[in-house]
Amino acid sequence: QVQLVESGGGWVQTGDSLRLSCAASGRPFTSYSMGWFRQAPGKEREFVVAIRRNGSITSYVESVKGRFTISRDYAKNTVYLQMDSLKPEDTAVYYCAAALMIFPPLTPAGFDYWGQGTQVTVSS
């Protein structure tokens, strides 16, 4: 119903930037909210931020506030996560996810469709 493909991950050093992309297809882009999650080795998958189907943006997880920015390009059916001032603690597989609700619970269970993930590795 909704297909999501992440890209843009890579291996960078502390202080570098990356821009992740998530291309969506299968439903009108305005009909679902989209979020970013990340999962570090041995850790639980955690919510990072989401942009709702009505255009509003959730709070960012505290650890990335001031460094990450979510945006949505409706013409390209793509959501982005701009990641600046990267730290080793940001190392994780990053997933985009789609939710059919305007205000989905900000947990993995609140999202209905998932991309395959893209690896972000930040070395010190």
Side-chain angles (χ1 to χ4, degrees), residues 39-124:
Q39 188 165 22
K43 302 286 188 177
E44 299 290 332
R45 188 169 299 186
E46 70 170 342
F47 172 80
V48 178
V49 67
I51 184 164
R52 302 186 181 98
R53 56 186 286 188
N54 68 355
S56 67
I57 297 172
T58 70
S59 295
Y60 293 76
V61 66
E62 189 67 30
S63 59
V64 310
K65 285 183 177 178
R67 300 187 298 116
F68 290 11
T69 305
I70 191 171
S71 62
R72 194 166 187 168
D73 188 329
Y74 291 94
K76 297 182 178 179
N77 290 351
T78 300
V79 66
Y80 302 96
L81 186 66
Q82 178 67 41
M83 308 163 66
D84 297 323
S85 301
L86 283 163
K87 304 175 180 179
E89 66 193 63
D90 297 317
T91 295
V93 176
Y94 284 71
Y95 299 89
C96 65
L100 299 180
M101 292 181 287
I102 296 176
F103 299 100
L106 303 181
T107 64
F111 288 74
D112 304 293
Y113 305 97
W114 294 83
Q116 81 286 354
T118 186
Q119 177 71 47
V120 172
T121 302
V122 186
S123 61
S124 60

